[in-house]
Amino acid sequence: GAGVSQSPRYKVAKRGQDVALRCDPISGHVSLFWYQQALGQGPEFLTYFQNEAQLDKSGLPSDRFFAERPEGSVSTLKIQRTQQEDSAVYLCASSWQETQYFGPGTRLLVL
Amino acid sequence: QKEVEQNSGPLSVPEGAIASLNCTYSDRGSQSFFWYRQYSGKSPELIMSIYSNGDKEDGRFTAQLNKASQYVSLLIRDSQPSDSATYLCAVKDDNAGNMLTFGGGTRLMVKP
């Protein structure tokens, strides 16, 4: 079956530009997570949804970051007024029970 | 702040040898432990999960957990060049949300 998909795979943005990153979870997975992975580091938690409810957004680094999952399936991570420090790979994961399955990630480069 | 520590490596082992990867964690409330493998430019892929003290074996992989020492390890027997990747240790405190807290990863290089 299909895994987690993310789009775009690569995004180059000019500083100050808004970006939107999409995640399509595995069908039927209730839980959805966003992580940020800087080069050479492990992923860091950003936010967590259970169905359409955002239960934890404690990892979002600033109010420029916003995530939604309005129908409990596809999720979008939006970054407003991008900064150079936002350059990273953004990973989406979905889970059923314990295991989190990761998508291929979106590599964001802010110039 | 919850911390998960790993030696960044690289850990270099010859083909056929045992690779031993180690991880320590700070949160005593952690209940679930995972090892992910990440090839360069790819997403993390689950290798093993372990929830209770002791050893858990799956093929060439053995995960070991010692909650008293707050230590989890991954042994890879008969290492192959295809095992060359970064191995990420992740922990979860089921009473503090469902997110995973990752270590920085250990880069493993298996030389033919």
Side-chain angles (χ1 to χ4, degrees), chain B residues 68-80:
Chain B
S69 300
Q70 295 175 245
Y71 176 91
V72 58
S73 65
L74 179 70
L75 300 178
I76 306 175
R77 288 180 299 281
D78 188 24
S79 295
Q80 301 298 310

Side-chain angles (χ1 to χ4, degrees), chain B residues 7-80:
Chain B
N7 189 316
S8 62
L11 173 65
S12 182
V13 300
E15 183 175 356
I18 296 175
S20 177
L21 305 164
N22 304 314
C23 171
T24 58
Y25 59 95
S26 64
D27 180 12
R28 285 197 171 273
S30 299
Q31 298 161 337
S32 305
F33 305 86
F34 306 87
W35 283 99
Y36 281 84
R37 177 176 63 199
Q38 188 172 31
Y39 292 112
S40 181
K42 303 296 185 181
S43 60
E45 172 193 11
L46 183 68
I47 298 295
M48 293 281 290
S49 58
I50 188 166
Y51 306 100
S52 54
N53 282 328
D55 295 359
K56 179 181 178 182
E57 186 175 320
D58 184 1
R60 295 187 296 113
F61 299 96
T62 298
Q64 299 175 317
L65 175 61
N66 183 327
K67 289 186 179 180
S69 300
Q70 295 175 245
Y71 176 91
V72 58
S73 65
L74 179 70
L75 300 178
I76 306 175
R77 288 180 299 281
D78 188 24
S79 295
Q80 301 298 310

Side-chain angles (χ1 to χ4, degrees), chain A residues 35 37 45 48 56 99-100 103, chain B residues 36 38 43 46 98-100:
Chain A
Y35 293 86
Q37 187 173 25
F45 169 76
Y48 158 60
D56 190 338
T99 302
Q100 293 188 22
Chain B
Y36 281 84
Q38 188 172 31
S43 60
L46 183 68
N98 286 307
M99 79 288 284
L100 296 175

Side-chain angles (χ1 to χ4, degrees), chain A residues 5-10 20-24 34 104-106:
Chain A
S5 61
Q6 293 185 247
S7 62
R9 293 294 311 278
Y10 303 92
L21 313 180
R22 176 188 169 106
C23 172
D24 279 89
W34 284 98
T106 294

Side-chain angles (χ1 to χ4, degrees), chain A residues 61 63 72:
Chain A
D63 59 8

Side-chain angles (χ1 to χ4, degrees), chain A residues 50-65:
Chain A
Q50 190 171 82
N51 295 307
E52 69 278 4
Q54 188 174 21
L55 298 186
D56 190 338
K57 54 182 181 179
S58 62
L60 296 177
S62 77
D63 59 8
R64 297 186 294 105
F65 287 70

